[in-house]
Amino acid sequence: MAALAAGLAADIPVAAAAPPTTNCQVFPADNIWNTDISTLPVHAQSAQWLASMASSTTNLHPDFGGPPYGFPYNIVDNTHATVSVIFQYASESEAGPYPLGSDTLIENGSDRHALIINRDTCTLYELFGLSGSGSSWTAGSGAIFPLGSNALRPLGWTSADAAGLPIFPGLVRWDEVQAGAIKHAIRFTAQQSDRSFLWPARHQAGTAASASLPPMGARFRLKSTYDIAHFSPQAQVILLAMQHYGLILADNGSNWFFSGTEDAAWPDSLISELKTIPASQFDAIDESSLMIDPNSAAAQLCGGGTAPGPGSAARWKVRTAPVPCSFPWLSRRGSGGWPAVRSAAPAAPRHPMRSLP
């Protein structure tokens, strides 16, 4: 609590927090993951997408906690051995090599994600369906992200996630909560998605071609009118992030499951609080006006601002990221912005639905 209190009293920096034991930024400050979307308009398809995810009868579910729940991650340096990996989806995976070994922590369950950050090069390695030992490793797919870059994956490529996006930047982390601010969007899943994807996503794994289903990359925001004052200071850190940075649909899975790290430090009381947030208090938002280049995650920004922090707004404020510029000509009237990119249906769903912790 002392660390959290110190964070609450400070002027919180705009950039997403570096992973512990590293000096690596998690993408540039103008990256779409790190962009405040609190002023953006509601998407024209918001009501339909919410209905498809049973939002009127569903609460959010924090898909993380103490082991075995959540995503473990690994921090390595240049001395760690690297290996080649044989991929099922080799045509959409970086060849590597990848810093893997007997010390590599792998996500529990059937998805078997592995997330690795090289602190010396500030490079993120992510794999889906990882298995192996020694010099023999296989995976469904693999992706490598330089954390100082806004470059997106090639159009149509998957990653370790169905949306072709990185996983680690969208995780809720206990160290961020303790510091008093989460300055990035949060990864979440939906049971059904459209066979399309919206920038910054690069890939789809849809169950049907239907405008009533959310596409990969769709962004959702907790309503500013939702009263968070009665939540604990730790929960308010997460809820403020949902109001300012929102949720990004990144994979198929259970409706309204949002992702975080596997960490024994997560308090059970906080996890329980987070299960009380009604999904009906969210809107889908239209972030098409932020796109500068369809092949870049850099977002159009204008200025900055402040937002009340957890607890008493009269005591302190958090600096928010620069707010988006408003360019009406970048939005198509009645369409909810630039249309989603559509592609053929996948041969089979890559990621089975996760079970409830």
Side-chain angles (χ1 to χ4, degrees), residues 9 30-31 57 69 85 94 99 110 180 194 196 200 203 211 281 298 334:
D30 66 345
N31 189 281
T57 57
Y69 303 118
V85 180
E94 274 86 9
S110 59
D194 184 36
S196 68
H203 184 263
Q281 291 299 310

Short mmCIF file of all heavy atoms in Angstrom, two decimals, residues 9 30-31 57 69 85 94 99 110 180 194 196 200 203 211 281 298 334:
data_model
loop_
_atom_site.label_atom_id
_atom_site.label_comp_id
_atom_site.label_asym_id
_atom_site.label_seq_id
_atom_site.Cartn_x
_atom_site.Cartn_y
_atom_site.Cartn_z
N ALA A 9 0.28 10.01 -5.07
CA ALA A 9 0.65 11.39 -4.75
C ALA A 9 1.51 12.01 -5.84
O ALA A 9 1.72 13.21 -5.85
CB ALA A 9 1.40 11.41 -3.42
N ASP A 30 3.27 7.45 -28.51
CA ASP A 30 2.20 7.72 -29.47
C ASP A 30 1.61 6.44 -30.07
O ASP A 30 0.80 6.50 -30.99
CB ASP A 30 2.68 8.66 -30.57
CG ASP A 30 3.76 8.03 -31.46
OD1 ASP A 30 4.34 6.99 -31.07
OD2 ASP A 30 4.02 8.59 -32.54
N ASN A 31 2.00 5.28 -29.56
CA ASN A 31 1.44 4.02 -30.04
C ASN A 31 -0.02 3.92 -29.66
O ASN A 31 -0.44 4.38 -28.60
CB ASN A 31 2.23 2.85 -29.45
CG ASN A 31 1.88 1.51 -30.06
OD1 ASN A 31 0.86 0.91 -29.72
ND2 ASN A 31 2.73 1.04 -30.95
N THR A 57 -26.17 -9.06 -19.40
CA THR A 57 -26.26 -10.07 -18.34
C THR A 57 -24.88 -10.57 -17.89
O THR A 57 -24.79 -11.57 -17.18
CB THR A 57 -27.08 -11.29 -18.82
OG1 THR A 57 -26.48 -11.82 -20.01
CG2 THR A 57 -28.52 -10.89 -19.11
N TYR A 69 -3.45 -18.84 -12.84
CA TYR A 69 -4.26 -17.94 -13.66
C TYR A 69 -3.45 -16.75 -14.17
O TYR A 69 -2.72 -16.12 -13.41
CB TYR A 69 -5.48 -17.45 -12.87
CG TYR A 69 -6.32 -18.59 -12.35
CD1 TYR A 69 -6.50 -18.80 -10.99
CD2 TYR A 69 -6.92 -19.49 -13.23
CE1 TYR A 69 -7.26 -19.86 -10.51
CE2 TYR A 69 -7.69 -20.55 -12.77
CZ TYR A 69 -7.85 -20.73 -11.41
OH TYR A 69 -8.60 -21.79 -10.96
N VAL A 85 12.56 -22.61 -33.83
CA VAL A 85 11.25 -23.18 -33.51
C VAL A 85 10.58 -23.61 -34.81
O VAL A 85 10.62 -22.88 -35.82
CB VAL A 85 10.36 -22.16 -32.76
CG1 VAL A 85 9.01 -22.76 -32.44
CG2 VAL A 85 11.06 -21.68 -31.48
N GLU A 94 7.64 -15.12 -37.46
CA GLU A 94 9.06 -14.79 -37.60
C GLU A 94 9.89 -16.04 -37.29
O GLU A 94 9.60 -16.77 -36.33
CB GLU A 94 9.46 -13.66 -36.66
CG GLU A 94 9.23 -12.27 -37.23
CD GLU A 94 7.81 -11.78 -36.99
OE1 GLU A 94 7.08 -12.45 -36.23
OE2 GLU A 94 7.43 -10.73 -37.54
N PRO A 99 14.60 -16.88 -27.55
CA PRO A 99 15.33 -17.20 -26.31
C PRO A 99 14.52 -18.12 -25.40
O PRO A 99 13.82 -17.69 -24.48
CB PRO A 99 15.53 -15.82 -25.66
CG PRO A 99 14.38 -15.00 -26.17
CD PRO A 99 14.07 -15.51 -27.54
N SER A 110 -4.46 -24.89 -22.43
CA SER A 110 -4.24 -25.40 -23.79
C SER A 110 -3.54 -24.41 -24.71
O SER A 110 -2.91 -24.80 -25.69
CB SER A 110 -5.57 -25.81 -24.41
OG SER A 110 -6.47 -24.71 -24.45
N GLY A 180 0.29 3.00 -9.26
CA GLY A 180 -0.82 3.94 -9.26
C GLY A 180 -1.38 4.33 -10.59
O GLY A 180 -2.24 5.20 -10.66
N ASP A 194 -16.43 -11.23 -35.71
CA ASP A 194 -16.67 -11.14 -37.15
C ASP A 194 -15.44 -11.61 -37.92
O ASP A 194 -14.32 -11.59 -37.40
CB ASP A 194 -17.01 -9.69 -37.51
CG ASP A 194 -17.37 -9.50 -38.96
OD1 ASP A 194 -18.01 -10.40 -39.53
OD2 ASP A 194 -17.00 -8.46 -39.53
N SER A 196 -13.46 -10.26 -39.80
CA SER A 196 -12.82 -9.02 -40.24
C SER A 196 -11.96 -8.52 -39.10
O SER A 196 -12.00 -9.05 -37.99
CB SER A 196 -13.88 -7.97 -40.62
OG SER A 196 -14.58 -7.54 -39.47
N PRO A 200 -5.75 -1.39 -35.07
CA PRO A 200 -4.45 -1.86 -35.52
C PRO A 200 -4.33 -3.38 -35.67
O PRO A 200 -3.22 -3.88 -35.87
CB PRO A 200 -3.53 -1.38 -34.40
CG PRO A 200 -4.38 -1.54 -33.17
CD PRO A 200 -5.77 -1.14 -33.61
N HIS A 203 -5.30 -9.47 -38.33
CA HIS A 203 -5.73 -10.83 -38.62
C HIS A 203 -7.07 -11.07 -37.95
O HIS A 203 -7.44 -10.39 -36.99
CB HIS A 203 -4.68 -11.81 -38.05
CG HIS A 203 -4.93 -13.26 -38.36
ND1 HIS A 203 -5.57 -14.08 -37.45
CD2 HIS A 203 -4.62 -14.02 -39.43
CE1 HIS A 203 -5.63 -15.31 -37.96
NE2 HIS A 203 -5.07 -15.30 -39.16
N ALA A 211 -21.97 -8.18 -39.41
CA ALA A 211 -21.70 -6.85 -38.87
C ALA A 211 -22.16 -6.70 -37.43
O ALA A 211 -21.79 -5.74 -36.75
CB ALA A 211 -22.40 -5.80 -39.73
N GLN A 281 -21.81 -1.39 -18.97
CA GLN A 281 -21.29 -0.04 -18.74
C GLN A 281 -20.18 0.34 -19.73
O GLN A 281 -19.49 1.33 -19.54
CB GLN A 281 -20.77 0.09 -17.31
CG GLN A 281 -21.88 0.05 -16.26
CD GLN A 281 -22.86 1.18 -16.44
OE1 GLN A 281 -22.47 2.35 -16.57
NE2 GLN A 281 -24.15 0.86 -16.46
N ALA A 298 1.29 4.01 -34.87
CA ALA A 298 1.36 5.39 -34.40
C ALA A 298 -0.02 6.04 -34.51
O ALA A 298 -0.73 5.85 -35.49
CB ALA A 298 2.38 6.19 -35.21
N GLY A 334 -22.13 7.41 -40.76
CA GLY A 334 -23.00 6.25 -40.66
C GLY A 334 -22.29 4.92 -40.73
O GLY A 334 -22.90 3.88 -40.56
#
